[in-house]
Amino acid sequence: MTVTLEDLAPLRLAGTPRGITSVCSAHPVVLRATLRHGRETGARVLIEATCNQVNHEGGYTGMNPADFAALVTRIAAEEGCPAAQITLGGDHLGPNPWRDRPAEEAMAQAEAMVAAYVAAGFRKLHLDCSMGCAGEAEALDDETTAHRAARLAAVAEVAARKADLPAPLYIIGTEVPPPGGADHVLDTVTPTAPQAAARTLAIHRAVFAQAGLDDAFTRVIGLVVQPGVEFGNHNVIRYDRAAAQDLTRVLDEAPQFVFEAHSTDYQGVAPLTELVADGFPILKVGPELTFVLREALYALDLIASDLLPDYGNRPLMQAMESVMLAEPSNWQRHYGGDAAQARLLRHYSLSDRIRYYWPVPQAEAAVSHLLSSLHGERVPLPLLMQHLPDAEHFADTPLDPVDILIWRVIRSLEAYRIAGTCPLDTFEQDGLSSR
């Protein structure tokens, strides 16, 4: 049976924890790989959009929530993934996209966004009002954050009833450092203090009750905390069970909840399995999936350069360099160092800020040229071994390069599926590697 979000806390209490992968990406190939993987495995497909990425004004993708839901629905139908297996979520829903405005104006926009998410069929809502607006502190206190979250929950409740949709499920809290990865080399990341996690839960419970939202609070299924995992441009901090031990005990006094772990990209099977076992069963991943997609695209770019006399010398990479230099706002303040270092990070940073540029027309044209150039070609085994060695099974047959892209993304997703379904004791006995 497919595990649902509502199953996670009871499964943890029963001593049989299971996990759900939360895919945070709007890239069509990542979405297709996610839905194909879901169809093939029967696992819950949880796909989330962020407030900056998708909102009622379009977000940086140009999509509103209904557009994003329609995109997922279309690809799911093409892939044969049952609608009942799919859950849509909204991540960091709050005033963040409008935080340069006065609080009331920003919150009015956040209310409109949440209503649009719910009306479009998004059921899992991460309410994040922790950021200050114009004239406020950068990070708000728990009371103010909770009151604003309750305000958004009230909007969501009305929107769900109006559209005759299932009542929303909520996630509260936020994580430190900010989402999307850190900009510097990391040595360690401190887990959320248990007292802070318990206080967040208590204050939200009280504020929701004051607002007449007791029923809504029974559907708060999780809390975002920092388990001590993160990735930066250069490296990954993996989960340390001992360091998070005090934090995980908070759930013993709060059986309604589980923890949601953000920035779990690049952790590998062993740390992910430990996270699920320790009460972090909602595992968010995004940049890793577009990183491995870029990895496969660049490998195919090299293969085409070596295989096809008229293709050119890595035209895809050259096109991506051109579009990133033409519009540096999405990477410039994140990638330091000299010119050579910045160039390296533009293409290979684990934070993968190149993902913002794939929808640019010049980038789309370069990808299309790559895929059409290789379509139907027979790639010799030695060439695949050189540039994409784990894809040797694609050798010497007419190639559909999109299949390689989807295969590469699914390899990462499979690590999450294994972590979410494999009991930790079995995992330890089998001696699976951390990667």
Side-chain angles (χ1 to χ4, degrees):
M1 189 174 91
T2 301
V3 173
T4 68
L5 290 163
E6 299 99 310
D7 294 331
L8 295 177
L11 285 168
R12 183 189 70 81
L13 289 172
T16 56
R18 293 293 182 269
I20 293 178
T21 309
S22 171
V23 172
C24 302
S25 178
H27 195 290
V29 173
V30 172
L31 295 177
R32 188 172 297 280
T34 300
L35 291 159
R36 185 176 298 182
H37 186 246
R39 182 200 73 210
E40 292 173 347
T41 63
R44 171 63 46 187
V45 177
L46 174 58
I47 295 173
E48 303 208 40
T50 68
C51 62
N52 290 310
Q53 183 184 65
V54 173
N55 59 53
H56 61 295
E57 295 184 327
Y60 69 73
T61 64
M63 288 187 284
N64 62 38
D67 296 329
F68 186 83
L71 174 63
V72 172
T73 299
R74 175 180 63 79
I75 298 174
E78 293 170 356
E79 292 296 327
C81 185
Q85 199 176 321
I86 302 167
T87 300
L88 295 179
D91 195 26
H92 293 286
L93 300 186
N96 189 58
W98 308 279
R99 64 185 300 183
D100 60 336
R101 306 182 191 181
E104 278 304 308
E105 185 180 343
M107 283 299 296
Q109 291 286 354
E111 289 178 337
M113 175 180 63
V114 166
Y117 265 87
V118 174
F122 289 71
R123 192 173 183 214
K124 176 182 178 289
L125 307 178
H126 172 210
L127 304 178
D128 183 5
C129 299
S130 60
M131 68 295 298
C133 298
E136 296 182 325
E138 183 175 354
L140 300 179
D141 59 80
D142 279 339
E143 289 82 358
T144 303
T145 298
H147 279 285
R148 292 181 182 178
R151 179 173 165 179
L152 296 184
V155 169
E157 295 290 300
V158 171
R161 288 194 296 269
K162 182 177 179 181
D164 195 25
L165 291 167
L169 304 173
Y170 299 105
I171 303 290
I172 57 176
T174 192
E175 84 279 12
V176 179
D183 297 336
H184 53 283
V185 176
L186 300 167
D187 295 320
T188 186
V189 176
T190 303
T192 300
Q195 300 90 338
R199 175 178 167 80
T200 296
L201 289 174
I203 289 175
H204 277 76
R205 188 190 300 275
V207 168
F208 272 57
Q210 293 167 14
L213 294 167
D214 298 88
D215 183 62
F217 196 79
T218 66
R219 287 178 272 106
V220 177
I221 60 171
L223 173 68
V224 176
V225 293
Q226 171 53 268
V229 304
E230 189 52 83
F231 61 93
N233 289 328
H234 305 274
N235 69 323
V236 179
I237 301 296
R238 292 194 168 83
Y239 181 55
D240 179 350
R241 300 188 78 188
Q245 191 174 60
D246 290 342
L247 173 60
T248 63
R249 292 196 184 104
V250 171
L251 295 177
D252 296 337
E253 305 299 322
Q256 172 181 337
F257 308 100
V258 295
F259 289 139
E260 177 170 286
H262 290 209
S263 298
T264 68
D265 308 69
Y266 312 107
Q267 285 291 308
V269 178
L272 292 172
T273 305
E274 292 176 340
L275 281 163
V276 172
D278 290 348
F280 304 87
I282 305 175
L283 302 170
K284 293 245 178 189
V285 59
E288 177 184 344
L289 302 180
T290 46
F291 179 93
V292 299
L293 173 65
R294 191 272 318 147
E295 180 182 73
L297 282 166
Y298 274 20
L300 291 173
D301 195 34
L302 283 161
I303 288 169
S305 297
D306 288 346
L307 183 67
L308 306 173
D310 297 328
Y311 178 72
N313 181 25
R314 303 193 70 183
L316 174 60
M317 184 179 186
Q318 293 181 42
M320 297 311 296
E321 176 73 356
S322 176
V323 298
M324 287 188 286
L325 289 176
E327 181 47 70
S329 60
N330 285 316
W331 61 265
Q332 198 164 47
R333 68 186 180 90
H334 301 276
Y335 297 160
D338 58 21
Q341 178 73 357
R343 182 180 184 278
L344 186 71
L345 291 173
R346 280 195 294 275
H347 295 276
Y348 302 111
S349 166
L350 294 175
S351 297
D352 193 56
R353 303 194 71 83
I354 196 174
R355 69 186 185 274
Y356 297 110
Y357 296 90
W358 295 117
V360 175
Q362 184 181 347
E364 288 186 331
V367 171
S368 179
H369 174 57
L370 168 63
L371 300 181
S372 63
S373 297
L374 282 176
H375 188 81
E377 293 288 337
R378 294 176 182 269
V379 180
L381 176 61
L383 194 54
L384 272 172
M385 291 176 68
Q386 174 65 37
H387 296 304
L388 203 57
D390 291 333
E392 295 172 10
H393 54 290
F394 289 101
D396 298 314
T397 59
L399 181 66
D400 183 347
V402 174
D403 286 342
I404 285 186
L405 304 181
I406 292 172
W407 161 80
R408 185 61 190 91
V409 175
I410 285 177
R411 285 187 69 200
S412 284
L413 291 172
E414 182 63 5
Y416 282 82
R417 188 197 66 80
I418 292 170
T421 58
C422 181
L424 186 60
D425 54 355
T426 302
F427 174 86
E428 290 170 339
Q429 289 168 13
D430 289 347
L432 297 177
S433 72
S434 64
R435 298 301 294 164

